[in-house]
């Protein structure tokens, strides 16, 4: 893909799509055959949807409410204006083809639109896939907040790879600890810091001289 000659936001979208499609290509080359590819709204561009389809995989994602769909053959309208029953509805997504859309309501009352290329999917299957996707989100949040995987203060590729591997190793240790004790990743991290502070206060290596 060649970078577009456009504004910063379009360039960000280009980078997101380029990264997403590179991951798909890598998965295909490693002979992955997923039942579904799950991804968030940021990655739901037409190019990405078509690339997943080209690989012969099904997908499930969320769409923004302003995506144009044709629900009844009368013309394209924003997704937010289409009537979506609880069991979902098959519509034509502009530039792509027929998809099935579901509308859910979050705890804060906001409506969300889920879409898939599997026209036979029911709400129970969609909800199960959403739950699986949420567990992946929880994992990413945990490895960022508890293991600092995105905070590599290095530039060389080999150092960055080492940082990622150490973060993954630390996360696995936290996960094993959680399975053995029932304590969350966050509680384990806090307890490590708490014990380190207690040990230092009990026997400080360095002491600061007051200046005031």
């Amino acid at each position: 893909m060649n970078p577009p000659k456009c504004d910063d936001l379009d360039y960000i979208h280009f980078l997101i799509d380029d990264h997403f499609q590179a991951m798909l290509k890598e998965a295909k080359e490693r002979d992955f055959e997923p039942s579904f590819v799950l991804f968030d709204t940021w990655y739901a561009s037409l190019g990405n949807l078509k690339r997943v389809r080209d690989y012969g995989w099904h997908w499930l994602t969320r769409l923004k409410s302003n995506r144009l769909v044709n629900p009844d053959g009368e013309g394209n309208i924003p997704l937010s204006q289409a009537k979506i029953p609880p069991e979902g509805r098959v519509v034509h997504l502009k530039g792509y083809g027929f998809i099935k859309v579901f509308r859910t309501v979050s705890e804060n009352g906001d409506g969300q639109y889920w879409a898939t290329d599997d026209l036979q999917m029911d709400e129970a299957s969609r909800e199960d896939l959403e739950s699986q996707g949420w567990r992946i989100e929880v994992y990413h949040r945990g490895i960022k907040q508890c293991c600092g995987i995105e905070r590599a203060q290095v530039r060389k590729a080999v150092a960055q790879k080492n940082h990622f591997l150490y973060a993954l190793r630390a996360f696995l240790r936290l996960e094993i600890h959680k399975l053995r004790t029932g304590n969350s990743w966050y509680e384990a991290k806090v307890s490590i810091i708490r014990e380190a502070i207690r040990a230092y206060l009990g026997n400080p290596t360095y002491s600061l001289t007051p200046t005031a």
Side-chain angles (χ1 to χ4, degrees), residues 62-78:
R62 286 183 293 180
L63 296 180
K64 292 183 178 180
S65 60
N66 62 354
R67 293 293 287 268
L68 295 179
V69 298
N70 189 336
D72 50 17
E74 297 296 325
N76 291 314
I77 60 175

Side-chain angles (χ1 to χ4, degrees), residues 24-45:
L24 292 177
K25 182 175 182 292
E26 183 73 17
K28 187 66 175 179
E29 291 175 348
R30 295 188 181 187
D31 295 326
F32 277 61
E33 291 297 335
S35 299
F36 278 87
V37 181
L38 310 179
F39 46 95
D40 207 354
T41 312
W42 270 95
Y43 301 96
S45 68

